Amino acid sequence: MNNDKIIDLLEKFKSEQKALLPKVQLKNNFQKENIRFIAGVDVAYFDMQGKTKGVCCIVVFDLIEKQVIEKVHSHGEIRVPYIPGFLAFREMPLIKDAVKKLTKQVDIYMFDGNGYLHYRHMGIATQASFLLGKPTIGVAKSYLKINGVDFTMPQNKENAHTDIIINNEIYGRVLRTRVNVKPIFISCGNWIDLDTTTEIVMKLIDKSSRLPIPVRFADIETHAIRKKLLIKE
DNA sequence: GCGACAG
DNA sequence: ATCTTGTCGC
């Protein structure tokens, strides 16, 4: 993919993101007590026959029974390069394919990446919400600096957090899910508020990781599937 | 030209 | 994201 083509694509992508923005709602469109099934979505990459391929896994976790109730995956060629701010366009085709395979109910989707914490408030979690028609949450392992604004490190206590505020607007939250571990960067995707987002993320933390269970499991699953695909060929 | 850069 | 072994700690 040459440079001119990428520049054209980015302009097109940017206007798609701007068109979606007015539809974003940072309010819960559900009753908290009804939330039970949380899906984690992640993508892993590999090369095969000189092409960049990807594996997308979705793991659905039951908050009540505390167990995984469904795992689905999709894989295929990745055609869009990674450019900060446009991750959704790179991963969305595979996500769509994996979503089609789901048979169980999902109440909320969690993504490996940002949501409202994004240049145009349109990180992958927010953008994907329109495809899914469900509330979404963004969970990033590192910080994507916006307009040169740094984040404030939260205290070294479980559940300590600081907000990322730019031009008097809250973009997202830096959350210390466990003591002595780097914080994560969470943000609303759509149809959910930041406090509820934080609550749900904390409910899904266990001793095994600083990341919430569905995202962690989806990450592990993508690596497992990728390994199988590489052995076959 | 240099640095920054979710995954 | 990915390339990669051992190793410190709960």
Side-chain angles (χ1 to χ4, degrees), chain A residues 26-94:
Chain A
L26 303 188
K27 286 180 181 177
N28 298 349
N29 71 350
F30 53 84
Q31 299 298 312
K32 276 188 209 173
E33 52 274 22
N34 294 336
I35 295 303
R36 176 168 181 183
F37 304 110
I38 316 286
V41 184
D42 191 27
V43 176
Y45 300 90
F46 61 101
D47 287 316
M48 192 179 267
Q49 297 155 352
K51 293 181 173 181
T52 300
K53 308 271 183 133
V55 187
C56 172
C57 291
I58 302 180
V59 175
V60 185
F61 187 77
D62 181 345
L63 262 174
I64 294 181
E65 298 295 334
K66 305 284 182 199
Q67 61 181 15
V68 173
I69 60 160
E70 181 162 41
K71 293 194 283 193
V72 297
H73 68 88
S74 63
H75 61 92
E77 186 179 354
I78 301 284
R79 302 172 170 284
V80 179
Y82 169 68
I83 297 178
F86 301 93
L87 178 64
F89 297 100
R90 179 167 164 85
E91 302 194 338
M92 202 66 86
L94 287 183

Side-chain angles (χ1 to χ4, degrees), chain A residues 99 119 139 164 188:
Chain A
V99 166
Y119 308 108
V139 178
I164 296 161
C188 305

